Amino acid sequence: MDNNNLEQITFGGGCFWCVESCFNMLKGVQSAVSGYSGGHKDNPTYEEVCTGTTGHAEVVQITYNPAVISYEQLMDVFFFLHDPTQLNRQGNDIGTQYRSVIYYKDEAEKAKAEEAIEKSKQSGKWAGTYVTELAPFEKFWPAEQYHQGYYNENPTQPYCSAVVGPKIQKFKKHYGELGMLNAE
């Protein structure tokens, strides 16, 4: 990939373990890194973020080549992977750190995010009111190393086998049929 033409997007859609794993499978994605954004504490730890007192969301920062995969396609995957109608939670993961959020870098990206939300609403996939937050990007803090590639390293861990694994299989079936995945 030509690193001069890469772009980044940062968003949160619940637990970052599954979101990161899925995005790392997509053609055109150079990296998906688990981390934290949207809070008021510098360099927070996982334990601090889990208390809900730092204001951070668990997020994934994706570095991608827009000549291979578009912002709109990434947004389609984002809305496929999580329920944007659940306030401060995804399934049994409850807390503000699991909120649905898109961090935008400028007004043009904000407009594209608003369009993606509207497109997802129009799809009818999710019933209910969308609670996806749009916020200006300020800072991304990478999560601790053991969170990076967590599912790939721990597929039999109970949470991974019960929650992350089935979500990844559904993702692989859908986006594999669309030809959007890297060869395994």
Side-chain angles (χ1 to χ4, degrees):
M1 259 188 236
D2 179 1
N3 290 341
N4 294 327
N5 295 321
L6 298 179
E7 294 185 20
Q8 286 187 322
I9 182 172
T10 305
F11 48 66
C15 176
F16 48 36
W17 291 345
C18 129
V19 176
E20 175 221 309
S21 294
C22 291
F23 278 95
N24 272 319
M25 293 180 210
L26 291 168
K27 291 177 183 174
V29 171
Q30 183 188 53
S31 68
V33 178
S34 292
Y36 316 108
S37 279
H40 53 79
K41 182 182 187 307
D42 287 350
N43 204 25
T45 66
Y46 180 69
E47 289 74 21
E48 290 169 332
V49 171
C50 285
T51 68
T53 60
T54 69
H56 291 88
E58 286 191 15
V59 298
V60 175
Q61 186 168 76
I62 297 161
T63 302
Y64 69 100
N65 182 338
V68 178
I69 189 166
S70 69
Y71 180 93
E72 292 77 13
Q73 288 171 309
L74 293 169
M75 285 286 99
D76 182 65
V77 173
F78 172 69
F79 287 113
F80 181 88
L81 290 175
H82 84 291
D83 182 344
T85 69
Q86 292 187 349
L87 183 62
N88 297 328
R89 73 179 298 159
Q90 283 299 299
N92 291 329
D93 293 330
I94 300 171
T96 56
Q97 70 269 28
Y98 300 115
R99 67 188 176 268
S100 175
V101 58
I102 301 168
Y103 293 101
Y104 58 87
K105 302 231 176 17
D106 55 33
E107 289 303 310
E109 196 170 275
K110 180 181 180 185
K112 289 197 292 188
E114 290 169 337
E115 288 173 25
I117 291 169
E118 196 53 43
K119 181 180 177 189
S120 182
K121 285 179 184 178
Q122 298 298 322
S123 77
K125 178 178 181 186
W126 303 106
T129 303
Y130 276 54
V131 294
T132 301
E133 175 187 335
L134 282 175
F137 177 82
E138 292 177 8
K139 181 73 178 166
F140 171 78
W141 302 98
E144 296 81 351
Q145 189 56 43
Y146 74 91
H147 287 296
Q148 309 306 328
Y150 189 87
Y151 175 78
N152 292 339
E153 298 296 321
N154 303 280
T156 60
Q157 188 261 11
Y159 181 86
C160 287
S161 60
V163 177
V164 182
K167 192 178 276 196
I168 288 174
Q169 291 310 312
K170 183 178 167 185
F171 164 83
K172 286 171 79 173
K173 180 178 181 342
H174 181 76
Y175 288 95
E177 289 173 358
L178 295 175
M180 292 178 63
L181 302 182
N182 290 314
E184 289 193 49

